[in-house]
């Protein structure tokens, strides 16, 4: 998740002040385990799980499925009719199966050559 490293403080403030952006963290005792971020689009009643991650120490401990289920539930609490997420081969090897196991469906697949970008 390096795409935001170049953001200025003003861009961060503007983004975080947006009422349609919601960030949640998961902790075990005082340890950070993971987080997810939801971006709502209220005009079309959809929510994107824009960021989702588990720290390395907690991968493989069945936490990803639980946290993703909580993220999806939270989206529906916002009255979203559509919940979606982007994934790619740079994500964890179990990311796609986690999404599919939670009832999500593949909408579109594409191949992008990063070297050409």
């Amino acid at each position: 998740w390096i795409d935001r490293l170049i953001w200025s403080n003003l861009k961060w403030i503007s983004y975080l002040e947006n009422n349609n952006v919601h960030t949640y963290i998961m902790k075990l005792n005082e340890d950070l385990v993971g987080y997810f971020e939801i971006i709502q689009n209220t005009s079309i009643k959809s929510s994107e799980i824009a960021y989702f991650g588990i720290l390395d120490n907690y991968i493989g401990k069945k936490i990803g499925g639980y946290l993703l289920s909580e993220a999806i539930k939270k989206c529906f609490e916002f009255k979203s009719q559509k919940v979606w997420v982007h994934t790619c081969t740079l994500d964890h090897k179990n990311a796609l199966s986690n999404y599919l196991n939670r009832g999500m469906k593949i909408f579109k697949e594409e191949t992008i050559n990063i070297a050409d970008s």
Side-chain angles (χ1 to χ4, degrees):
W1 307 308
I2 61 171
D3 53 323
R4 295 180 179 174
L5 291 176
I6 60 171
W7 282 16
S8 69
N9 286 344
L10 287 177
K11 184 164 183 169
W12 269 110
I13 290 167
S14 173
Y15 183 74
L16 295 173
E17 287 179 341
N18 182 335
N19 291 331
N20 292 321
V21 174
H22 309 275
T23 303
Y24 301 87
I25 62 169
M26 180 179 183
K27 292 176 97 175
L28 180 61
N29 300 317
E30 291 301 313
D31 294 334
L32 180 63
V33 174
Y35 86 110
F36 61 88
E37 182 177 281
I38 296 170
I39 302 174
Q40 286 181 269
N41 185 331
T42 54
S43 66
I44 60 171
K45 296 184 179 176
S46 79
S47 290
E48 175 188 7
I49 301 171
Y51 286 86
F52 178 90
I54 306 292
L55 294 176
D56 286 341
N57 291 349
Y58 296 96
I59 291 176
K61 297 184 179 180
K62 308 289 185 194
I63 292 172
Y66 170 78
L67 191 59
L68 181 58
S69 294
E70 292 301 307
I72 293 168
K73 280 193 258 183
K74 187 55 75 175
C75 291
F76 286 114
E77 287 176 14
F78 292 137
K79 308 293 187 227
S80 296
Q81 295 176 354
K82 176 181 159 184
V83 176
W84 58 285
V85 63
H86 284 107
T87 191
C88 70
T89 55
L90 298 175
D91 288 342
H92 188 272
K93 64 181 180 172
N94 295 332
L96 180 59
S97 63
N98 194 11
Y99 301 136
L100 296 173
N101 288 336
R102 301 293 159 310
M104 298 182 125
K105 297 185 179 2
I106 296 173
F107 174 76
K108 180 172 93 172
E109 292 183 55
E110 62 185 348
T111 301
I112 299 172
N113 187 343
I114 294 175
D116 294 339
S117 298

